[in-house]
């Protein structure tokens, strides 16, 4: 199962990092500036549940493929409109999991990714 995490901030970095720690195939979709930073310093989690430092798999929107089984939306809610305007390929039947505040985004996601669950 391949997982794509949109964002590598507090939420995406934590959940995606923990999934990678559990040997899941995780890729982070990030902006170019964040990609350079993560390539240089890695993804670091400091937590009472245990610290973690990894070199994550990274991709930018111009290189993302449609072969992910799960897409975890962890971006800021105010960035969602911009993200939904991008040509974002999604595998038929992919599972989309939004970790965003509120419910307003649910219909937007259903409309954009009609071939996903």
């Amino acid at each position: 199962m391949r997982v794509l995490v949109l964002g590598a901030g507090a939420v995406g970095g934590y959940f995606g990092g923990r999934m990678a720690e559990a040997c899941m195939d995780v890729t982070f979709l990030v902006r170019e500036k964040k990609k350079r930073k993560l390539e240089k310093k890695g993804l670091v989690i400091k937590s009472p549940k245990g610290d973690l430092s990894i070199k994550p798999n990274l991709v930018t929107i111009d290189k993302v493929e449609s072969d992910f089984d799960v897409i975890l939306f962890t971006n800021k809610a105010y960035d969602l409109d911009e993200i939904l305007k991008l040509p974002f390929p999604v595998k038929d039947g992919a599972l989309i999991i939004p970790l965003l505040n509120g419910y307003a985004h649910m219909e937007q996601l259903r409309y954009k990714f009609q071939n996903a669950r």
Side-chain angles (χ1 to χ4, degrees):
M1 177 172 53
R2 298 199 64 220
V3 178
L4 180 67
V5 178
L6 271 70
V11 176
Y14 185 81
F15 285 106
R18 292 300 184 193
M19 286 188 279
E21 180 183 36
C23 298
M24 293 178 74
D25 184 356
V26 178
T27 299
F28 293 87
L29 176 62
V30 293
R31 293 186 173 121
E32 190 61 44
K33 183 178 177 183
K34 183 74 167 184
K35 183 175 184 269
R36 288 191 301 270
K37 181 179 178 182
L38 288 168
E39 287 172 337
K40 183 177 179 181
K41 297 183 178 189
L43 177 69
V44 178
I45 296 172
K46 300 231 182 245
S47 168
K49 301 289 183 185
D51 297 345
L52 173 68
S53 180
I54 62 169
K55 291 287 183 184
N57 297 324
L58 304 167
V59 67
T60 54
I61 191 65
D62 57 322
K63 302 271 194 285
V64 70
E65 300 289 329
S66 63
D67 59 344
F68 293 95
D69 302 295
V70 177
I71 301 171
L72 193 62
F73 277 78
T74 67
N75 53 283
K76 300 288 187 206
Y78 54 76
D79 284 336
L80 186 62
D81 288 338
E82 178 185 343
I83 290 168
L84 294 179
K85 290 177 186 173
L86 299 171
F88 196 96
V90 173
K91 177 180 177 179
D92 283 345
L95 179 63
I96 295 184
I97 303 172
L99 298 180
L100 307 171
N101 292 336
Y103 292 97
H105 57 274
M106 295 302 289
E107 195 57 38
Q108 290 175 286
L109 292 171
R110 278 191 208 99
Y111 180 76
K112 172 74 175 182
F113 306 115
Q114 295 178 16
N115 62 331
R117 299 180 289 139

